[in-house]
Amino acid sequence: MEVDPQATDAPEETAAILQLQLNLLSVIKSAQLQNGLKHGDYGRYRQYCARRLRSLYKALKFLHGKGRYTKKKLDVPQVSDARHLQILLVCAERAWAHAMLLKQESQQDGAAAAKKRHTALRRLRKASFWAGELSRIAGTVCDTRSAVEADAYAAWMSGNVLMETESDWQRALACYTRAKKLFTELARVGDPESQALCGAMAEELAPALRYCNYQISRAGGEAVDPAGLLALAEEGGEGGGSLLQSKLASLAAEAQTAQAAATSSFEWRGIKAPVSQERVRVPLHNAAELAATLEAAMDTDGPASAEQALPQHDKLTNWYQEARAATRNAIKAAQTGGGSGAAGKAGAEADAGDLEDLVALEKALSGRILEGSLARGEVAAADAAARFAAGLQRQAAGKAAGGGKGKERPAKPEDLVRLTTTLAQLAADLEEHASHLGGRQGEALAAAAAARGGGYAAWRAYYQGHVALAAAAAGGGRYAEAAGLFRRAGERAAAAQEATEELPKSESAAWTALPGLQQLAALAGSYLLVACAEAAAEGAAGAEGAGKGLEGLGLAGGAAQQASSALYLPDALDAWESFGGSGSGKGARLFQGPYALAAIRPRPIMLDSAAGEVDYPDVSHRVKRRKTAAAAAAGSATGTFARLFGGWGGATS
């Protein structure tokens, strides 16, 4: 048997000659960014892939028959150009984009979700098939880098299929690990652009690897970490992130629901209400976790700054408000017997609950929200009060107002008046809410709210006194008003301190404010003395000015008084002397007023007596004479006859 040496060496010669180069990641990323995937529009990218595939078929004359469709298979012998490999790549990308589009639509359309998910799975398998064909052919006809890129791309696509089917997490982890390893090796060689693309692709595979490891560990019975899943969902990128988002979100929701099932009741000030609605349990569980985190951070690191604490308080209040809204919907549904919308869904869950329990839960949540709002307002007021006190210290030392640590903005007394007014209103609302509770718990809460409201009113009067004091220093003359406000602040602080001391030690929020009330009483007394001293000095200065003004008054007046007075600006224009007075305008000698009355010469009155002696000519003949009554009647009759008979009987010209 003879062997043709040319036929034996043909594959090796073909492999040696054909060293095609396919910049796979560069082609994919540029096409995706320019055709919709920058905004997550998989439908547009799928249409682009279809157009690109048609143009490749025509350019390479790789058509599937003119009339009747005849499938033409692409294999190693038919590959003579890098565009032949692009056919396989575009086919894989088109199938993948279609699968991602169906995945998005299945999440939005619940009716046909199962059918669309099944179709998406078939399209993903098709994309994996085309990627495998690309890897097989590229390993024969392409250079080493292109072959490795195709192999990594095929491994990534196989991992996507296994993740979607959720059949074998070990194999999915192996595929993703292989793809990441290949992309990491490719990121070390080549031009900078290719290295950057491969490195980014390797980083995008990290969330998929973590998710596979999590599923493997979960199968072994380890605990579920919802926070880790949410963080993993936020890290998900394009490399498997599109498939991860829906799975991680649903899995985290299931984990939160399972943990929230332990929240079977809610207790506030002796009111313990059972929680049977799922829509109420989840926000209550989240609020409890956040409150525990805040308490642990305070015990470890001490009180947090206002910038860190205020967002946490807002988030905590939002959770409680969400739970209260769901409870009110359940109450409304229970009272009306169900319905449509959110109230109807809540009513379906509220059938097993009791209306009284729901009402008690709503009252407890409302009280907790008011207490949380008070805590949040106290943090903001404490921060503003610290900045205001620092500004007063800098002002007393003669320094600039904004020269403190970190160049912080000093607080104005008007801002603190607004904050304390809001706190006083919240305390009044809490006191009114306590009146609806009744019993000893309601009375204790009302007393605590009244004591806290008195403290807020005392602080408001104190800061209002500072507003009046600042206005008086600017020339407003409100020292007496400032003194009255500081006196009122001291009285209210003493009353609030007395009311707080009568409360039980369990009212920790009210007892916490007791040192501040004692400090307020001392501050109000100090500034009361300042305001009284300024008012007395202002009164003495006014009396002295009035005395000086009365000194020059007398019966002599006239030239003697004018001679004893100082000169004014118009009388001494050549003198180098200040006539403007002080900075406030006191003592100004610009002109002497009011001016003295002086006679002014009026215009002469002209009496034309000669006009009465002039004889005027008679012009009566120039006046038009009026017709007599008879002539007018005759003219009227003639005119009527003429109008009736077309002009007959009228005068002729």
Side-chain angles (χ1 to χ4, degrees):
M1 180 179 180
E2 296 181 359
V3 179
D4 188 1
Q6 295 180 356
T8 305
D9 298 338
E12 297 180 359
E13 183 180 357
T14 304
I17 294 175
L18 289 180
Q19 290 294 321
L20 303 178
Q21 186 177 3
L22 178 64
N23 296 324
L24 189 144
L25 285 183
S26 178
V27 172
I28 289 176
K29 293 299 181 181
S30 61
Q32 289 178 353
L33 292 178
Q34 295 175 9
N35 295 279
L37 282 200
K38 187 176 182 180
H39 309 287
D41 191 353
Y42 292 100
R44 177 183 168 191
Y45 183 57
R46 178 197 174 198
Q47 294 174 0
Y48 161 77
C49 291
R51 295 193 303 269
R52 176 61 179 163
L53 189 60
R54 191 179 303 112
S55 63
L56 286 173
Y57 281 149
K58 291 189 65 176
L60 296 172
K61 297 181 180 180
F62 195 77
L63 302 176
H64 302 279
K66 289 187 176 180
R68 187 174 180 180
Y69 177 80
T70 304
K71 185 177 181 181
K72 186 180 293 187
K73 185 178 180 181
L74 181 62
D75 209 337
V76 176
Q78 288 81 21
V79 175
S80 59
D81 193 343
R83 290 178 294 177
H84 286 100
L85 299 176
Q86 289 188 12
I87 291 178
L88 301 173
L89 178 61
V90 173
C91 286
E93 286 290 297
R94 182 180 65 168
W96 174 79
H98 191 192
M100 294 299 101
L101 177 62
L102 292 173
K103 186 74 175 178
Q104 284 184 346
E105 293 177 354
S106 64
Q107 295 175 0
Q108 299 173 359
D109 187 6
K115 182 178 179 181
K116 289 183 177 180
R117 185 181 181 280
H118 180 69
T119 308
L121 187 58
R122 288 195 298 106
R123 296 302 293 168
L124 267 181
R125 289 196 179 99
K126 198 68 172 178
S128 178
F129 167 76
W130 288 118
E133 289 292 308
L134 175 63
S135 175
R136 181 179 63 84
I137 297 177
T140 304
V141 300
C142 290
D143 58 352
T144 305
R145 182 178 182 85
S146 300
V148 174
E149 281 190 14
D151 192 7
Y153 178 75
W156 171 72
M157 197 65 74
S158 300
N160 290 341
V161 176
L162 293 171
M163 175 182 289
E164 183 64 21
T165 55
E166 302 180 359
S167 57
D168 193 346
W169 294 108
Q170 295 285 352
R171 287 183 57 197
L173 179 62
C175 291
Y176 281 133
T177 304
R178 175 180 174 80
K180 183 180 180 181
K181 183 178 180 180
L182 293 176
F183 282 126
T184 304
E185 294 297 329
L186 288 172
R188 299 177 182 176
V189 294
D191 57 290
E193 182 181 359
S194 300
Q195 291 182 9
L197 289 175
C198 293
M201 193 67 181
E203 292 178 359
E204 290 171 359
L205 286 171
L209 290 170
R210 289 180 56 193
Y211 184 74
C212 292
N213 285 321
Y214 165 76
Q215 288 291 348
I216 294 172
S217 63
R218 187 188 181 192
E222 295 186 7
V224 181
D225 184 13
L229 286 175
L230 292 177
L232 182 61
E234 293 177 358
E235 295 177 5
E238 292 178 358
S242 302
L243 294 174
L244 277 175
Q245 294 301 319
S246 59
K247 292 182 176 294
L248 292 175
S250 60
L251 194 58
E254 292 177 2
Q256 286 183 351
T257 303
Q259 291 185 359
T263 308
S264 59
S265 63
F266 179 74
E267 186 175 0
W268 176 76
R269 288 189 172 272
I271 301 176
K272 188 173 182 180
V275 181
S276 57
Q277 288 75 32
E278 196 65 39
R279 297 173 182 269
V280 183
R281 283 180 178 175
V282 175
L284 283 182
H285 173 71
N286 295 333
E289 285 188 345
L290 182 58
T293 304
L294 289 176
E295 292 179 2
M298 184 173 295
D299 295 338
T300 305
D301 304 330
S305 62
E307 296 180 357
Q308 298 175 353
L310 291 179
Q312 298 295 328
H313 281 286
D314 292 337
K315 191 175 182 180
L316 184 62
T317 303
N318 290 337
W319 284 124
Y320 283 121
Q321 287 178 348
E322 182 179 349
R324 184 177 64 175
T327 305
R328 287 178 175 175
N329 287 335
I331 293 173
K332 182 179 178 181
Q335 290 176 347
T336 58
S340 59
K345 294 180 180 179
E349 297 180 351
D351 292 336
D354 192 9
L355 183 59
E356 295 181 0
D357 294 337
L358 291 174
V359 172
L361 178 60
E362 194 272 336
K363 289 182 179 180
L365 288 172
S366 298
R368 183 62 185 83
I369 290 171
L370 287 174
E371 286 187 346
S373 301
L374 279 173
R376 194 254 186 212
E378 287 177 349
V379 172
D383 177 69
R387 290 188 285 113
F388 177 70
L392 289 180
Q393 292 179 359
R394 288 192 295 269
Q395 184 179 0
K399 298 180 180 180
K405 184 178 180 181
K407 304 297 181 181
E408 59 184 7
R409 181 181 63 86
K412 298 180 180 179
E414 292 85 354
D415 301 336
L416 285 157
V417 169
R418 185 179 66 255
L419 288 173
T420 50
T421 302
T422 303
L423 286 171
Q425 182 61 42
L426 287 172
D429 294 342
L430 184 59
E431 185 178 0
E432 182 181 359
H433 182 71
S435 63
H436 297 298
L437 298 180
R440 294 182 179 179
Q441 293 293 338
E443 294 177 359
L445 178 59
R452 297 175 71 178
Y456 300 143
W459 282 107
R460 178 177 58 189
Y462 171 74
Y463 292 119
Q464 285 176 341
H466 276 286
V467 172
L469 198 63
R478 296 173 58 183
Y479 288 113
E481 180 184 352
L485 288 170
F486 286 126
R487 183 179 292 107
R488 182 184 301 173
E491 295 173 354
R492 289 183 175 178
Q497 182 178 352
E498 183 179 356
T500 304
E501 291 175 349
E502 295 177 357
L503 296 175
K505 293 293 185 179
S506 59
E507 298 293 341
S508 58
W511 277 90
T512 305
L514 189 59
L517 293 175
Q518 297 173 354
Q519 181 185 5
L520 172 61
L523 289 174
S526 301
Y527 280 101
L528 173 61
L529 296 177
V530 172
C532 289
E534 293 288 349
E538 187 180 24
E544 183 181 357
K548 290 182 179 180
L550 294 174
E551 287 179 357
L553 296 179
L555 297 177
Q561 182 178 355
Q562 185 176 4
S564 61
S565 62
L567 295 176
Y568 287 86
L569 178 62
D571 301 329
L573 294 175
D574 57 343
W576 293 89
E577 184 179 352
S578 175
F579 294 91
S582 62
S584 60
K586 295 182 179 180
R589 293 178 288 116
L590 300 179
F591 62 90
Q592 187 179 10
Y595 295 108
L597 296 177
I600 300 177
R601 297 183 61 182
R603 295 180 59 185
I605 300 175
M606 306 298 295
L607 298 177
D608 196 356
S609 302
E613 301 297 331
V614 177
D615 294 333
Y616 295 99
D618 186 13
V619 291
S620 59
H621 63 280
R622 302 288 299 273
V623 180
K624 187 177 181 180
R625 297 180 179 179
R626 295 182 178 180
K627 295 182 180 181
T628 60
S636 175
T638 305
T640 303
F641 185 84
R643 285 194 299 271
L644 290 175
F645 295 97
W648 293 351
T652 59
S653 58

